[in-house]
Amino acid sequence: MPAQAQDDLPRLLQGADRCDADTSGIPDTDTCGGIYAALIRHYGGYAQFRVAAVERLHQTATRCDADTSGVPDADTCVPAYARLINAYGSYSAYLSAADARKPTN
């Protein structure tokens, strides 16, 4: 992968996070569509992009779960949990996947 493409990844991921967080119901399709297309190209296809996106959501949810402040960041945690539930198709399926990811002792 060219160095420029790797250097663009954090910027693209931040852009995708902003697009995902848009609750207006009318995201900027020109900007967001271009960002998602670039990410799909970066990961080598939609399926690979989706796997990477779900992995990032799991990482965010893990950070949210570990928050001991009693007040997790709702702007970050709530959308991450909602997108994970959507990705798995149901709350129980998400919980099963989350449980399967936990380290065994």
Side-chain angles (χ1 to χ4, degrees), residues 16-95:
D17 288 342
R18 283 191 301 277
C19 291
D20 291 345
D22 184 342
T23 59
S24 70
I26 307 169
D28 179 353
T29 54
D30 291 335
T31 301
C32 295
I35 289 170
Y36 293 128
L39 284 167
I40 289 167
R41 280 191 304 276
H42 171 82
Y43 287 107
Y46 179 76
Q48 297 89 331
F49 163 69
R50 187 161 166 81
V51 167
V54 169
E55 177 58 30
R56 286 190 73 229
L57 289 171
H58 273 293
Q59 291 170 3
T60 299
T62 299
R63 284 191 304 276
C64 292
D65 292 346
D67 184 338
T68 59
S69 70
V71 186
D73 179 6
D75 292 337
T76 300
C77 299
V78 171
Y81 292 129
R83 293 192 330 245
L84 279 165
I85 291 166
N86 186 47
Y88 285 101
S90 71
Y91 181 65
S92 62
Y94 157 64
L95 288 179

